[in-house]
Amino acid sequence: MSPGDSPHILLGRVRFLIECIECFRHNKPLPEALCFVPKEVCYKICKDSSFSSTSCSSATSTGSSTAGKTIISVWECPSQSLPSKKLLKFNIEAKKGTCIRATGEEYCNTYGLWVKLNKEQLEEHKSGLDVEEGWILVCKHAEGGDRLVPVESQERVQRQGQLFGYDYNPYTRWEQVVDAQCCLHLGSKPRVAQQDDVAVQKLRYVPPTWTFECDEDLVHYFYDHIGKEDEDLGSIKQYVESIDVSSCSEDPNGGAWCMTDGDTDTYWESDGAQGQHWIRLRMKKGTVLKKLILTLDTTDDNYMPKRIAVYGGEGDNLKKLSDVHVDERLVGEVCVLEDMTAHLPVIEIRIVECRGEGIDVRIRGIKIKSSRERDLGLNADMFQSPNLVRYPRLEGTDSEVLYRRALVIQRFISLLDGLLPHLVPAWDYTLGTFNHLKHIKQFLLLSKRRSALITQCLKDSETSKPDFMPRLYINRRLAMEHRDNPSLDPSCKHAVFIQVYEGLKPSDKNEKMLDYRWPVSYDQWWECKFISEGIIDQGGGFRDSLADMSEELCPSSAECPVPLPFLTRTSNLGTGEARDRYVPNPSCREFHKYEWIGQLMGAALRGKEFLVLALPGIVWKQLMGEEVSWSKDFPAVDSVLVKLLEAMESMDKETFEFKFGSELTYTTLLSDGGVVELSPGCSSTVVKYEDRKEFIRLVQKARLEESREQIAAMQAGLLKVVPQAVLDLLTWQELEKKVCGDPEITVEALKRLTRYEDLEHSEVRVQYLWEALTNFTNEDRSRFLRFVTGRSRLPAPIYIFPDKQGTETTDALPQSSTCSSTLFLPNYPSAKVCEEKLRYAAYNCVAIDTDMSPWEE
């Protein structure tokens, strides 16, 4: 039953969701219902008719068959590959129709899915064993063949029928247990099967040093390894021989390729009478469907399917396998068929009915999960320590603990996905803005539902494109002169930013302001005529104006003056990884222009253009309405001050008086260089040692709130263009990427900017460096750039020297000096070692910056 079917279920799950969020935030064991594992599950052999008896009896199969019996091996522990005979405990001879009792505890690794048998269950098959547990293989990921499937044993059904009546059926799935325990019920509560206490406690376990940040890192690790696999799921050619469609269009392929290109902006469209639309998949031999998923879009209106039937079989002898009614509100990916147990040569998808009695149909994508692929995604082997080098907080934790924690997070995301449509304010039957979502923003990366919700919210708030395109006359020569020397024009009227702002003002009272909520296809917001430049603007001039405005707001070169007063450089100039960031100017009161900046950011989010603003995370978080903290967020603004206050809090009285004497008063310097009082009338009051903690608190409060009004104005402009629901569903990192783009750092670009000192570019160590960087992801290269230069985006010069220790050093970490953008490169024995050392340094050593002491002025 879905939450929308019953308000009791909906409210109960919302209460349970809040309880889970609080457990995550405060590092408490999660509720038992979320971690529920039944004490007993019965399994039966499921034959795969598409495999020969030879393959079934091979040593690598789940079970081998002999004369009506199936041999199932019991192992000491799950193995990553073909298990060694040393781990074999004994074999079970399972007769036809026999059920094997096991616990509900499952374990998935690279080799396959395993289930555990406890001592009592082992004794049923072989007595006198001196072991507490054994493991049997349910199915393998690498190949098909026989597998074990959970069933309800006949004896158990009869026994329960005698005791409780024939309708008795205890809850055995964790989702059912959540509803049983948290939702209101008329009469007695549903019965829950006995739980496996040991397995439940394993899932609930929280390591003593675990923090909420560890959970967030685990989500990012999980997303990096699993999320991208799911994104690539659209390629179905490994499972399908061919696709036939009922299209009547002129395209010789009927547009069928649009369903497999991975692009949801393209679609297959079939013309004709209602009920006469179909897609026929001819499956490759041995493929057993686990899931068949269609991508739909509610914006297709009466082209969108309302009812879909799936048939399967051989030749023209097809039988109905499923009949699915599509919820008009919950669109995106719709599973129309799942959990097939045998190979079917032909699968036919029939569109029975469309929304609003529509005649034609559109399908935007097909995805397939098969028992032939490693479809579980999450497996224990992916949490081995060598894979965690980019996540230092996770490295010291046992891989088994990480695996089980990820399993519980996966369950939590499944619960969250079922509730998301009811928690965002743009939906018809919402509960209102769900503030608890702000605490688990990073978890939303794993959500399967939010992408469709974001698309729907943007579509619902869309307006028609303007009746005419504004034409602006821009003098870039004057803008360049102003950029070189801003002091000549304090009003900044010659800056491109101001020229565009003034040019977009309505010329009369009847003219409307631009609302920036146009369809995504409207990709040019205004037309530029550059004075004294021969350009006909067909989009290029418009994009140039955006680039000029971005450069004026946040100059990419630290040597250039800032030509506009709206943003000011952070105090990290010259140190740390956030040296190229800007924050809103605390002393600038032109709030209407901040609001316009917010509107431009919203337009970039909705459209295909970018407004590149080098803002630190603390600003993006506040734009999203998220909480910010001094220790986590403010180092990106002024890392020296953060270190200074940390040292001040822990120093003794003698050191305090020596360092500060009578010079420290109740004032602080803001990002724009202005001085403010921390307490009214106390600007000349000397801070005493006993009052230093109160002074620290006041400084932190003043600095965290220094740009509050300016950010509030930017947020107001952003919300005029983008619904609050969209911001609720995005992380701040995603907002930054959608507004500013994701700058790509290529190896070729790095080579162009690199100079060698006391080295030749042809030397082996240099070749190893480039081979290592070629194997890096774009994020890895961004981290490497930060490690060497302190800047995360190009351009940034790089100078490479031999390592300081001498050419014989082969196992040391590389060193860098961010002031001079220098990398000291050891003479590593191989490209692989070079890659490992560079990656470790890039992710673990960037915070160790000795360029400046916190005591230096």
Side-chain angles (χ1 to χ4, degrees):
M1 182 180 290
S2 68
D5 294 335
S6 167
H8 301 298
I9 290 178
L10 174 61
L11 293 173
R13 291 185 187 179
V14 170
R15 285 192 293 265
F16 185 75
L17 186 73
I18 293 172
E19 182 183 353
C20 292
I21 291 173
E22 291 303 305
C23 289
F24 277 119
R25 291 183 64 203
H26 301 292
N27 310 315
K28 296 179 180 178
L30 288 154
E32 287 192 356
L34 187 70
C35 305
F36 178 80
V37 178
K39 188 171 184 178
E40 180 181 311
V41 177
C42 292
Y43 287 89
K44 229 177 160 179
I45 289 287
C46 177
K47 294 289 185 181
D48 188 342
S49 59
S50 65
F51 283 79
S52 66
S53 58
T54 303
S55 66
C56 287
S57 60
S58 67
T60 61
S61 64
T62 301
S64 59
S65 303
T66 57
K69 296 181 180 179
T70 301
I71 307 300
I72 298 174
S73 300
V74 180
W75 305 90
E76 181 180 320
C77 61
S79 174
Q80 296 180 15
S81 57
L82 180 62
S84 166
K85 290 185 177 180
K86 294 180 180 179
L87 299 177
L88 178 65
K89 290 302 178 184
F90 63 93
N91 290 319
I92 299 174
E93 291 188 10
K95 296 179 181 179
K96 186 176 181 181
T98 301
C99 287
I100 298 174
R101 288 199 313 130
T103 69
E105 182 175 355
E106 297 179 346
Y107 186 90
C108 181
N109 60 14
T110 307
Y111 190 61
L113 178 64
W114 305 74
V115 293
K116 188 178 84 172
L117 278 66
N118 60 30
K119 189 175 182 66
E120 176 189 344
Q121 292 160 348
L122 290 171
E123 290 284 343
E124 293 179 5
H125 306 285
K126 189 168 184 177
S127 59
L129 286 173
D130 188 23
V131 291
E132 295 298 320
E133 64 181 51
W135 293 83
I136 59 175
L137 186 62
V138 172
C139 65
K140 294 191 292 282
H141 300 313
E143 56 189 80
D146 297 351
R147 66 175 191 260
L148 295 170
V149 295
V151 295
E152 191 71 67
S153 72
Q154 197 63 33
E155 296 82 1
R156 181 179 174 85
V157 171
Q158 291 175 354
R159 185 170 66 250
Q160 291 169 345
Q162 293 170 357
L163 291 173
F164 307 107
Y166 287 99
D167 292 334
Y168 175 78
N169 190 16
Y171 284 175
T172 58
R173 298 170 56 235
W174 69 267
E175 299 97 325
Q176 296 173 318
V177 177
V178 168
D179 290 342
Q181 295 185 1
C182 300
C183 303
L184 296 175
H185 300 273
L186 296 176
S188 60
K189 283 190 175 183
R191 294 179 180 272
V192 176
Q194 187 177 1
Q195 72 176 24
D196 186 331
D197 292 329
V198 175
V200 170
Q201 292 311 311
K202 285 180 183 178
L203 292 177
R204 298 189 72 209
Y205 175 69
V206 181
T209 58
W210 196 260
T211 63
F212 183 57
E213 287 74 20
C214 294
D215 278 319
E216 290 183 325
D217 282 357
L218 189 57
V219 166
H220 280 270
Y221 177 76
F222 191 17
Y223 175 72
D224 287 343
H225 287 75
I226 303 301
K228 291 178 175 56
E229 289 182 15
D230 287 345
E231 290 169 10
D232 296 336
L233 199 60
S235 177
I236 65 173
K237 59 184 178 183
Q238 56 184 317
Y239 312 117
V240 177
E241 293 282 1
S242 64
I243 303 178
D244 298 321
V245 293
S246 60
S247 175
C248 298
S249 69
E250 296 179 359
D251 188 331
N253 297 319
W257 61 271
C258 294
M259 295 184 287
T260 61
D261 61 358
D263 186 356
T264 56
D265 289 333
T266 62
Y267 52 82
W268 164 72
E269 182 175 319
S270 180
D271 316 329
Q274 188 179 56
Q276 299 299 312
H277 310 294
W278 48 263
I279 304 164
R280 188 174 295 122
L281 309 176
R282 299 191 184 279
M283 312 301 296
K284 288 187 177 181
K285 186 177 180 181
T287 300
V288 180
L289 278 178
K290 194 74 174 176
K291 286 183 184 294
L292 176 61
I293 300 167
L294 299 183
T295 303
L296 309 177
D297 192 337
T298 189
T299 61
D300 290 333
D301 298 324
N302 59 356
Y303 285 86
M304 195 185 93
K306 181 179 180 181
R307 183 180 163 210
I308 300 170
V310 181
Y311 291 74
E314 192 166 357
D316 296 326
N317 184 24
L318 305 181
K319 296 180 180 179
K320 182 184 281 191
L321 305 174
S322 68
D323 197 327
V324 178
H325 290 264
V326 180
D327 189 333
E328 296 182 8
R329 299 172 303 164
L330 309 179
V331 295
E333 291 186 353
V334 178
C335 182
V336 295
L337 184 67
E338 59 184 333
D339 295 331
M340 293 293 98
T341 59
H343 168 70
L344 297 170
V346 176
I347 298 290
E348 187 169 287
I349 304 165
R350 300 179 185 176
I351 314 303
V352 181
E353 184 181 357
C354 288
R355 281 172 54 177
E357 299 183 356
I359 297 175
D360 302 332
V361 67
R362 288 177 183 174
I363 304 291
R364 294 180 176 265
I366 296 181
K367 296 181 180 181
I368 287 178
K369 279 194 171 185
S370 164
S371 62
R372 284 298 198 95
E373 70 173 321
R374 187 163 61 96
D375 58 359
L376 189 60
L378 178 63
N379 76 78
D381 298 336
M382 63 188 285
F383 297 103
Q384 299 298 322
S385 185
N387 299 328
L388 301 172
V389 65
R390 300 188 188 103
Y391 302 87
R393 277 190 285 249
L394 304 180
E395 274 192 297
T397 306
D398 184 84
S399 61
E400 302 290 312
V401 174
L402 293 177
Y403 168 63
R404 292 189 174 90
R405 189 72 176 177
L407 279 175
V408 179
I409 290 176
Q410 199 174 42
R411 291 185 177 188
F412 173 76
I413 296 299
S414 176
L415 175 72
L416 177 63
D417 267 350
L419 295 172
L420 268 183
H422 305 278
L423 301 178
V424 292
W427 220 259
D428 292 339
Y429 302 102
T430 179
L431 298 173
T433 302
F434 192 58
N435 288 325
H436 283 79
L437 281 180
K438 296 177 182 178
H439 302 306
I440 54 161
K441 278 294 188 74
Q442 303 303 319
F443 286 56
L444 291 172
L445 290 170
L446 300 178
S447 170
K448 305 291 186 186
R449 302 292 286 276
R450 69 179 183 131
S451 178
L453 288 173
I454 289 171
T455 301
Q456 182 65 52
C457 291
L458 291 175
K459 184 67 177 178
D460 288 347
S461 58
E462 196 175 90
T463 60
S464 58
K465 64 181 182 181
D467 295 330
F468 67 95
M469 182 183 297
R471 176 176 292 182
L472 308 179
Y473 292 87
I474 308 297
N475 191 323
R476 291 204 291 187
R477 182 183 60 80
L478 292 178
M480 185 62 69
E481 292 176 358
H482 171 72
R483 193 180 302 178
D484 291 338
N485 191 353
S487 61
L488 297 178
D489 178 22
S491 67
C492 307
K493 65 177 180 290
H494 295 313
V496 173
F497 179 91
I498 300 298
Q499 291 185 63
V500 173
Y501 177 81
E502 294 295 333
L504 291 176
K505 285 183 176 180
S507 56
D508 60 67
K509 61 181 181 180
N510 295 321
E511 188 178 337
K512 292 183 179 179
M513 294 283 288
L514 300 179
D515 63 16
Y516 302 95
R517 291 189 281 122
W518 312 298
V520 68
S521 57
Y522 186 71
D523 54 4
Q524 184 174 350
W525 311 340
W526 55 75
E527 179 187 353
C528 285
K529 294 289 185 181
F530 294 123
I531 297 174
S532 301
E533 297 181 51
I535 181 174
I536 299 175
D537 186 8
Q538 295 181 334
F542 159 68
R543 286 189 291 273
D544 278 350
S545 69
L546 277 182
D548 289 339
M549 291 161 63
S550 298
E551 183 65 23
E552 289 175 345
L553 289 167
C554 301
S556 55
S557 173
E559 286 72 36
C560 293
V562 182
L564 293 172
F566 312 117
L567 300 173
T568 185
R569 288 190 175 102
T570 66
S571 302
N572 284 342
L573 213 58
T575 65
E577 64 179 60
R579 70 189 335 174
D580 53 354
R581 301 298 182 186
Y582 294 76
V583 294
N585 188 343
S587 61
C588 183
R589 315 301 293 177
E590 297 186 63
F591 297 118
H592 51 289
K593 291 188 175 69
Y594 283 110
E595 187 172 310
W596 186 55
I597 293 173
Q599 288 180 286
L600 292 175
M601 294 168 74
L605 185 151
R606 298 186 76 105
K608 298 178 181 179
E609 304 302 330
F610 297 122
L611 184 70
V612 182
L613 301 176
L615 308 175
I618 190 171
V619 176
W620 294 107
K621 282 187 174 182
Q622 291 178 85
L623 287 171
M624 301 284 280
E626 295 183 34
E627 295 179 359
V628 296
S629 73
W630 178 264
S631 59
K632 287 198 297 185
D633 301 311
F634 205 76
V637 178
D638 194 338
S639 59
V640 173
L641 178 62
V642 172
K643 294 175 185 176
L644 176 61
L645 295 185
E646 286 177 359
M648 182 187 296
E649 187 171 11
S650 59
M651 68 177 50
D652 56 40
K653 185 173 183 179
E654 183 179 354
T655 306
F656 179 85
E657 292 178 350
F658 174 76
K659 292 289 184 184
F660 303 108
S662 59
E663 296 180 1
L664 187 64
T665 61
Y666 283 90
T667 59
T668 191
L669 204 64
L670 301 182
S671 292
D672 63 344
V675 178
V676 295
E677 285 186 334
L678 298 177
S679 186
C682 295
S683 60
S684 58
T685 303
V686 175
V687 179
K688 298 179 181 179
Y689 176 76
E690 295 78 13
D691 300 326
R692 73 190 188 287
K693 291 187 177 180
E694 175 62 13
F695 170 78
I696 291 171
R697 185 190 69 80
L698 291 172
V699 171
Q700 291 175 348
K701 183 176 184 296
R703 293 304 305 274
L704 284 173
E705 298 178 354
E706 64 179 0
S707 303
R708 181 182 56 189
E709 293 176 293
Q710 290 77 14
I711 293 175
M714 292 170 67
Q715 185 186 44
L718 180 61
L719 288 174
K720 283 185 175 181
V721 182
V722 179
Q724 178 67 51
V726 173
L727 299 185
D728 287 344
L729 293 169
L730 291 172
T731 66
W732 69 264
Q733 296 96 330
E734 289 174 313
L735 175 65
E736 181 183 17
K737 285 184 179 181
K738 286 181 178 293
V739 172
C740 305
D742 187 10
E744 183 180 4
I745 300 174
T746 66
V747 173
E748 289 72 25
L750 289 173
K751 284 182 177 180
R752 287 195 299 269
L753 294 165
T754 299
R755 300 291 180 268
Y756 306 94
E757 302 290 341
D758 299 328
L759 280 174
E760 295 294 332
H761 68 85
S762 58
E763 286 191 30
V764 173
R765 76 171 78 185
V766 175
Q767 299 308 309
Y768 286 163
L769 168 68
W770 295 122
E771 186 175 340
L773 290 174
T774 300
N775 293 334
F776 274 20
T777 64
N778 193 73
E779 175 65 15
D780 291 340
R781 288 192 285 270
S782 177
R783 295 274 187 166
F784 166 77
L785 193 65
R786 288 181 180 181
F787 171 67
V788 177
T789 70
R791 292 183 170 89
S792 60
R793 296 184 181 185
L794 296 175
I798 299 173
Y799 300 92
I800 300 180
F801 283 75
D803 66 292
K804 296 178 180 179
Q805 306 302 319
T807 56
E808 298 303 316
T809 303
T810 60
D811 61 349
L813 287 172
Q815 297 180 351
S816 68
S817 172
T818 55
C819 278
S820 58
S821 299
T822 300
L823 172 68
F824 297 97
L825 184 64
N827 191 17
Y828 292 119
S830 67
K832 188 176 188 310
V833 173
C834 182
E835 180 181 344
E836 291 174 354
K837 298 293 185 181
L838 280 176
R839 183 178 284 118
Y840 185 88
Y843 279 88
N844 294 274
C845 303
V846 288
I848 305 172
D849 193 331
T850 57
D851 291 346
M852 179 181 289
S853 164
W855 309 110
E856 292 180 11
E857 295 181 0

